[in-house]
Amino acid sequence: MLYPTPGQLPQSTEQQSTDMHAPIQLMEVPGNKTIKKVKEEVAAALRSQRSPNCIRLRRVENGRLGSVLKGYTTIQKLVTGRQLLAAQILPREEKLGSNYILLSIYQGLQHDRTNTQEVDFIWIANDGATAEQLRKALSKATHIPRDRLAMAKKLHEINDWLEIFPTKTRKAVTGDPYNIRDGDVIAIKETDGPLSGNDFSTEPGEVGRARSYAGKEGKKSEKEEMESHHQGKKKKKERGAEPNKKK
């Protein structure tokens, strides 16, 4: 079983994770089953009095918990092909609407390169789902003044952070360039200066980014070597065919 990292956020008007210690069971289910049916089967397998609404179904994407399966449709309408799913067992009922986004939040310590532990946070993405609305929700949850709360999205593929700040066009953060969705990791910190240009990096993150870069460089060199090898074989073959053409 996998367990989310334990942690706490102050109570707010936004909904928060019901239990950061909720166990997670990994499984594959037939696509023709409905989300409701799978939740009922998981609840029955637990042999407890828990309601199916205490079960949260999520995709497993690149080894991390991803989007939540919501609604009453079949699994195959939301998941293409074979997909590993996770059933998170919650201590009380939860009903997430289509405008609810489940985020993992890190709070950076001021003037420090460390973070608090990761916690779940359910953002009710109304009013256009803008960066300012997200900042407002996180400000209420953490009691960090909105005009001093800086935030960024974790880019797992490169172990880096993409800063999030409001724009004059009130563009939704669920679209480019942020593409915020269930399972995303958001770092926040209180800042004395401007809301942009903040450093969200941590020492473990720097190590991870260096490893990612080294891995990509190694794959790049290997690819270039293979291409060079194939190119050499191609030229050699072409040279060998030249006398036959003259004949």
Side-chain angles (χ1 to χ4, degrees), residues 5 24 57 103 113 134 199 239:
T5 305
I24 294 173
L57 295 181
L103 302 172
R113 297 187 69 203
L134 177 58
D199 182 13
R239 285 196 299 267

Side-chain angles (χ1 to χ4, degrees), residues 1-237:
M1 288 188 178
L2 301 176
Y3 291 86
T5 305
Q8 293 181 341
L9 277 176
Q11 293 297 318
S12 76
T13 55
E14 294 290 312
Q15 294 193 26
Q16 297 182 34
S17 175
T18 48
D19 186 359
M20 290 308 301
H21 297 278
I24 294 173
Q25 298 180 348
L26 301 180
M27 60 184 179
E28 287 188 14
V29 296
N32 60 353
K33 288 189 177 182
T34 64
I35 295 172
K36 181 181 178 182
K37 182 64 175 176
V38 175
K39 288 184 176 183
E40 290 174 347
E41 290 180 354
V42 173
L46 294 175
R47 296 181 180 178
S48 69
Q49 300 300 317
R50 297 198 182 204
S51 160
N53 288 329
C54 291
I55 311 300
R56 181 194 289 162
L57 295 181
R58 302 179 68 175
R59 290 186 179 93
V60 178
E61 301 165 346
N62 298 319
R64 291 186 57 85
L65 294 177
S67 56
V68 180
L69 303 188
K70 306 166 187 173
Y72 300 93
T73 187
T74 58
I75 300 292
Q76 63 190 3
K77 288 186 178 180
L78 300 174
V79 176
T80 57
R82 296 188 63 175
Q83 171 76 56
L84 190 63
L85 300 180
Q88 187 173 4
I89 318 303
L90 306 175
R92 60 176 181 264
E93 292 191 3
E94 170 186 87
K95 293 183 180 180
L96 300 182
S98 59
N99 61 329
Y100 287 49
I101 300 178
L102 180 63
L103 302 172
S104 295
I105 305 297
Y106 280 112
Q107 184 171 339
L109 303 179
Q110 199 172 18
H111 310 304
D112 198 345
R113 297 187 69 203
T114 58
N115 287 325
T116 58
Q117 292 178 310
E118 184 178 341
V119 296
D120 280 354
F121 180 78
I122 299 174
W123 177 36
I124 306 173
N126 293 325
D127 300 320
T130 65
E132 189 55 38
Q133 291 300 325
L134 177 58
R135 188 193 309 283
K136 181 180 178 181
L138 290 171
S139 175
K140 286 182 178 180
T142 61
H143 304 298
I144 297 175
R146 186 166 43 167
D147 59 353
R148 297 180 61 181
L149 190 149
M151 53 188 181
K153 172 184 172 177
K154 180 69 176 291
L155 303 177
H156 295 285
E157 62 275 11
I158 58 174
N159 273 294
D160 207 350
W161 298 92
L162 174 63
E163 282 197 277
I164 304 170
F165 41 87
T167 62
K168 294 180 180 179
T169 58
R170 288 181 56 83
K171 193 174 182 181
V173 292
T174 51
D176 290 334
Y178 306 117
N179 296 305
I180 289 179
R181 61 201 69 235
D182 287 330
D184 278 347
V185 174
I186 305 294
I188 60 174
K189 65 165 50 179
E190 184 173 0
T191 177
D192 297 326
L195 296 180
S196 60
N198 287 280
D199 182 13
F200 287 89
S201 64
T202 61
E203 291 182 6
E206 289 292 326
V207 172
R209 183 161 59 173
R211 287 175 179 170
S212 296
Y213 179 78
K216 287 183 178 180
E217 286 298 304
K219 288 181 180 178
K220 182 180 177 182
S221 299
E222 185 178 338
K223 183 179 179 181
E224 289 175 347
E225 185 177 340
M226 289 294 292
E227 288 177 348
S228 177
H229 175 70
H230 288 305
Q231 194 69 22
K233 288 179 68 176
K234 183 179 179 181
K235 289 182 178 179
K236 186 176 180 180
K237 186 176 180 181

